[in-house]
Amino acid sequence: MECDVVVLGGGPGGYTAAIRAAQLGANVVCVEREPALGGTCLRVGCVPTKAWVQTAHALHAARDVNAKLGVVTQEPHLDFAAAAAWKDGVVTQMTGGVAALFKAFGVTWANGHGRFTGPNTLVVEGGEEITFRSAIVATGSSPMRPPIPGLDSARCVDSTGLLAQTELPQRLVVLGGGIIGCEFASIFDRFGSKVTIVEMLDTLIPQEDEDAAKELAKQFKRRGIELHLGSQCTAVDDLGSHLVVHVGEGTTVECDLMLVSVGRAPVVHDLGLEALGLAADPRTGIASDDTMRTSLPHVFAVGDVAGRWQLAHTAFREGEIAAENALGHDSRLGDPAVPRPIYTDPEIAGVGLTERQAREIHGENVAVGQFPWLANARAVMSGETAGWVKSIHETTYGELLGLVIVGPHATDLIEAGVVALDAEATVETVADGIAPHPTLSEAVKEAGLVALGRAIHLPPKRR
Ligand code: FAD
């Protein structure tokens, strides 16, 4: 088979690249070994986890919020099988959607493990050889496993294993307090499991704004999630009926299941990269430049395997850029504002610089404004007032540097900050703009007003 562009991997980076290349008139083959398209994101990542996040939100609303709003129902409880079926149904619908798009755009899906056999050839296991002009590598990432004695127990699962559970674990230990670990901790706590997080660093979600990480830890503790921060897991004993997890010096935690979520590594093995003539690093993946081009002019790398970010939305954009450049355009990634959504409860989302980063770069010339949800009418009437919005700007020109949101619908609201940062907007643009009332979005504007020292809906700061 011959094609203009072969795409290796059918996740967000790969399927987007394939569709964009087809839009531009190319003959495209996308090679994906799993039985469904969509990659980690649609099959075992963003989509199924967020389907369960919705179940967790619904449970929380039914148990803790609805009655306050005057809606009284019978004692709510989780039907875990129904929640799993809901999640699986959403996945089927979304992955089927990508297959339908492939048909509509005329992209050929070659189902099987793909391996390069030369600079312009690739073989799909059990299939024919594909000859291509350009290749886009989008093989994603896979979970890492630290060398801790006992971690090979069947009760120690990764995120894919946890999503496949058919019974709710009574006690869940989450190893790793990063984004994936915190999202699952939040879900399973709402589901009714006793959740314990073990994290080597002193903070949860270490890459995020420190105040946001502290707020999350506060809310998790309030909900009864046990935190062992600054603690290392040294061994795990499988006693048959349950696990005993050894933490730090002499502490043990018993559980039925352990989620190992300590990070993901790029998938670079068994791809035939040597035959292609391309180098890869097992930790950082395949290097690509601003145009997504690798060291080979006709080969591009996008998404998790390219090592910049591990996010679906950045993979989407990288996929578009690679496809356009594979077909003779000159598209560039540049320095876009990248939102950092975390679907815990409360939700967290940041974009641009954290407060610490802003102060490291701009020193004294930084102003910050924090607006609490308690002072926002829409948050109060929906019964969800944990958290705040933080606006960060530099004081020479007033340029907005960052936005951090902890609380209801943070992951949707952050888009206002993405647009503002990409437009190099000033804090006045955000603060003096007119936000619809009563909405959660007003809190973004109000945070800007706080940063400018002219908040209307907060009392003046006491000197
Ligand atoms: P992938 O989605 O991993 O796709 C790569 C594909 O390549 C896979 O389908 C794989 O089967 C295929 N492949 C690999 N090698 C071969 C081969 N040799 N032959 C054929 N096929 C091959 N990101 C967000 O932005 N928001 C979220 O809410 C979010 N939640 C997540 C939750 C979890 C639990 C996890 C694990 C991840 C989450 N992510 C989230 C991250 C997101 O899933 C990834 O960043 C994204 O999927 C990366 O896209 P990709 O195309 O680079 O790779």
Side-chain angles (χ1 to χ4, degrees), residues 391-412:
S391 163
I392 305 161
H393 72 272
E394 57 79 34
T395 50
T396 312
Y397 304 103
E399 186 175 342
L400 190 72
L401 299 174
L403 188 70
V404 183
I405 307 177
V406 180
H409 299 282
T411 57
D412 284 305

Side-chain angles (χ1 to χ4, degrees), residues 8-15 31-34 36-47 49-50 110 112-115 138-143 159-160 163 179-180 183-184 264 267 269-271 302-306 309-315 318 341 343:
L8 187 57
Y15 82 69
V31 184
E32 169 56 60
R33 62 187 172 196
E34 294 292 339
L37 292 165
T40 303
C41 174
L42 272 67
R43 286 186 305 100
V44 289
C46 332
V47 168
T49 50
K50 272 83 242 185
H113 183 94
R115 216 173 270 112
T139 47
S141 62
S142 59
S159 53
T160 304
L163 283 164
I179 297 173
I180 293 176
E183 288 184 351
F184 276 112
R264 296 175 63 87
V267 172
H269 53 274
D270 200 16
L271 304 182
V302 302
D304 285 11
V305 76
W309 298 286
Q310 290 189 347
L311 289 165
H313 41 279
T314 47
E318 292 180 346
Y343 300 81

Side-chain angles (χ1 to χ4, degrees), residues 52 69 90 123 142 153 190 197 257 301 319 331 375 393 403 435 456 458:
W52 267 358
L69 274 62
V90 173
V123 165
S142 59
S153 157
R190 289 285 188 232
I197 300 178
L257 202 66
S331 301
H393 72 272
L403 188 70
I456 300 295
L458 282 185

Side-chain angles (χ1 to χ4, degrees), residues 199-220:
E199 166 57 53
M200 204 167 68
L201 301 177
D202 291 331
T203 175
L204 298 173
I205 49 168
Q207 73 284 19
E208 202 34 83
D209 187 88
E210 283 169 29
D211 286 336
K214 277 187 203 150
E215 185 71 45
L216 183 66
K218 187 174 96 185
Q219 298 296 337
F220 270 6

